[in-house]
Amino acid sequence: MNDKRRNKRMDMNVILKINNLSLEDEKRGLNNVEIHTFNISRDGMGFTSEVELPEDGFFDTDVEIWTKETFHAIIKIVRKSKLEHGWEYGCVFLGLGEMDAYRIDVYQLSLENGVNK
């Protein structure tokens, strides 16, 4: 399968909480859902969750990076697949600020240069 990503994904192991941006999803109890992030790029991130989330759903989150800094992000789920114990998702960041994208770039450079191993 060809990788269609424009930016390289880096491993990242962080537990985050996401909140829905849809009233329909709010009725389904999709607020404060715990996710386990496993990779990130300036375009988006991959994560797993025990909760099934809607593909094309929009969620609000605060992403914690390696420096323990956080940035606010709106994500859109663009891919999901069933796992044995939960779900795996791919999402894109919507309207990510240039400074926050720069922080992700710095994280990538630090990994490539052995700073965060």
Side-chain angles (χ1 to χ4, degrees):
M1 176 158 66
N2 291 336
D3 191 348
K4 297 178 183 176
R5 296 178 183 132
R6 291 179 292 165
N7 291 293
K8 182 179 177 182
R9 294 261 176 140
M10 294 135 326
D11 291 342
M12 181 174 153
N13 187 13
V14 178
I15 297 173
L16 303 174
K17 301 273 187 179
I18 61 173
N19 292 299
N20 76 80
L21 293 176
S22 160
L23 291 177
E24 180 180 315
D25 291 337
E26 185 174 337
K27 293 174 188 173
R28 294 174 43 205
L30 297 180
N31 271 328
N32 213 25
V33 174
E34 186 174 280
I35 65 171
H36 300 261
T37 303
F38 58 84
N39 67 32
I40 191 169
S41 76
R42 71 178 2 242
D43 292 325
M45 64 184 179
F47 64 91
T48 61
S49 176
E50 293 179 2
V51 177
E52 183 178 5
L53 303 169
E55 194 164 352
D56 292 330
F58 294 89
F59 292 85
D60 187 39
T61 189
D62 290 312
V63 179
E64 181 180 307
I65 57 175
W66 63 280
T67 59
K68 301 300 181 199
E69 293 177 280
T70 61
F71 62 87
H72 183 78
I74 304 295
I75 61 171
K76 178 183 178 186
I77 296 174
V78 294
R79 177 190 56 78
K80 80 176 185 180
S81 58
K82 180 76 171 121
L83 301 174
E84 186 176 335
H85 299 288
W87 296 85
E88 181 176 293
Y89 299 92
C91 70
V92 295
F93 294 124
L94 301 177
L96 187 64
E98 196 56 39
M99 181 56 90
D100 296 327
Y102 175 75
R103 288 180 179 145
I104 295 170
D105 290 341
V106 169
Y107 175 64
Q108 179 178 358
L109 287 172
S110 67
L111 284 177
E112 291 172 355
N113 291 298
V115 175
N116 290 314
K117 291 187 177 181

